[in-house]
Amino acid sequence: MTSTSPSRELRAALESLTTEAFRPELADIDQLPTLDIARLMNGEDATVPAAVARRLPEIAAAIDAIADRMARGGRLIYAGAGTAGRLGVLDASECPPTFNTDPAQVVGLIAGGPEAMVTSVEGAEDSAELARADLDGLAVTAVDTVVGVSASGRTPYAVGAVEHARAQGALTVGLSCNTDSALAAAADHGIEVVVGPELLTGSTRLKAGTAQKLVLNMLSTITMIRLGKTYGNLMVDVRASNEKLRARSRRIVALATGADDEEVERALAATDGEVKNAILTILADVDGPTAARLLEQTGGHLRAALAATAR
């Protein structure tokens, strides 16, 4: 009696995945003119938003749950390997300059650590134990959220992260691009965005990666909207860490208030450059310390602070 080798089992598992399917109609793609290949690729990419749209109810439910935890001091933690891990790190790294979050508030974990951002770390994605160790290093608690990201939905690092986080009482989300995935099954909120086979067989940095980026954009952005990090569609918690962002800060205050340049500059000077506070000083006609106190009392929600001054 012969036993099935692990490599043969893995091959069979991969062959069953939509993201790994071979498309014989594209077997001669390398012989096409460049413009034709570009058109094919662009056509493939155009199908991704519709695949995401089919999962909007699940995405919205996950966002509401994430926002509830973060409002209580929890963190948003992404965990993935390869492309999926890099996309999580990217989304996390963009939250501090966009929403003025503490760098520890939204965190990206990639199998193999920072080195894996630019090179392959042998065996890291196959280790659920590594995921558990990485999460233990963050001391995950019940108010945190862990989002496992994996195109296949079977990557041990992502599945292990979700299983371990759930055991700690954390909220868990599983984002994959195949149906009936182990990752979605392990999570409180499973989000399976099925984009179909890739232009290049198994190259899930393509449509699957685009889908994951779109969903991660939603998870972080809409969560921050729910947490009062915006005023309308203005990034009122933007961190002015360079000249471009300082110019953007002045523009945001002007757009929110209709104030002229001189009044905007006065308001920003009175609030140490805090955009949200500056807007409140103008719209509510209060001084800087009062604006800071009102925003602290309302959990940083500018609309709530404005409503409090109108009573």
Side-chain angles (χ1 to χ4, degrees):
M1 181 176 176
T2 60
S3 60
T4 305
S5 70
S7 62
R8 188 173 299 175
E9 289 179 354
L10 177 57
R11 179 178 173 182
L14 291 177
E15 287 178 348
S16 71
L17 299 175
T18 302
T19 49
E20 298 288 332
F22 173 66
R23 299 173 64 180
E25 77 275 17
L26 296 176
D28 296 325
I29 191 174
D30 57 329
Q31 299 181 56
L32 295 176
T34 300
L35 181 57
D36 288 352
I37 300 174
R39 284 177 176 143
L40 278 170
M41 193 167 179
N42 182 244
E44 291 291 304
D45 291 341
T47 68
V48 176
V52 174
R54 288 191 285 272
R55 293 292 174 258
L56 290 179
E58 292 96 325
I59 294 168
I63 290 168
D64 283 338
I66 293 168
D68 177 69
R69 301 278 177 126
M70 293 195 78
R72 291 185 274 138
R75 295 166 294 176
L76 173 59
I77 302 164
Y78 299 125
T83 297
R86 293 182 190 101
L87 289 169
V89 172
L90 173 64
D91 197 76
S93 67
E94 290 176 343
C95 285
T98 307
F99 301 111
N100 202 18
T101 57
D102 187 289
Q105 196 173 3
V106 184
V107 180
L109 294 176
I110 181 169
E115 179 188 350
M117 285 295 292
V118 293
T119 188
S120 175
V121 177
E122 195 71 29
E125 74 171 61
D126 295 326
S127 177
E129 293 77 15
L130 180 59
R132 289 193 285 271
D134 287 346
L135 287 177
D136 285 343
L138 293 177
V140 169
T141 71
V143 294
D144 294 324
T145 299
V146 172
V147 180
V149 188
S150 163
S152 68
R154 59 163 301 282
T155 305
Y157 183 88
V159 176
V162 164
E163 289 176 340
H164 187 58
R166 198 167 184 179
Q168 310 308 307
L171 177 74
T172 55
V173 179
L175 172 58
S176 75
C177 294
N178 284 282
T179 57
D180 303 319
S181 66
L183 181 58
D188 298 300
H189 295 266
I191 302 171
E192 296 176 327
V193 182
V194 180
V195 294
E198 298 285 4
L199 184 85
L200 299 180
T201 305
S203 182
T204 53
R205 74 183 187 88
L206 300 178
K207 288 190 299 185
T210 300
Q212 291 165 354
K213 178 68 166 69
L214 292 176
V215 175
L216 294 179
N217 280 349
M218 288 184 176
L219 294 184
S220 58
T221 302
I222 304 175
T223 293
M224 295 302 162
I225 291 172
R226 293 274 76 90
L227 293 175
K229 293 287 187 178
T230 66
Y231 178 64
N233 63 342
L234 297 174
M235 297 183 292
V236 291
D237 262 343
V238 66
R239 178 176 293 169
S241 56
N242 58 45
E243 191 53 44
K244 182 190 79 172
L245 293 179
R246 281 188 284 274
R248 181 176 291 167
S249 296
R250 291 190 287 271
R251 184 167 182 265
I252 288 170
V253 176
L255 287 170
T257 64
D260 59 29
D261 290 348
E262 188 176 328
E263 188 175 10
V264 167
E265 292 294 347
R266 281 200 305 269
L268 285 168
T271 57
D272 294 324
E274 294 288 343
V275 172
K276 190 183 292 183
N277 300 44
I279 292 169
L280 187 56
T281 65
I282 295 171
L283 293 182
D285 193 22
V286 297
D287 59 20
T290 301
R293 176 176 53 79
L294 286 167
L295 285 165
E296 184 177 357
Q297 290 173 349
T298 57
H301 288 258
L302 180 53
R303 287 196 189 277
L306 285 167
T309 64
R311 294 187 191 126

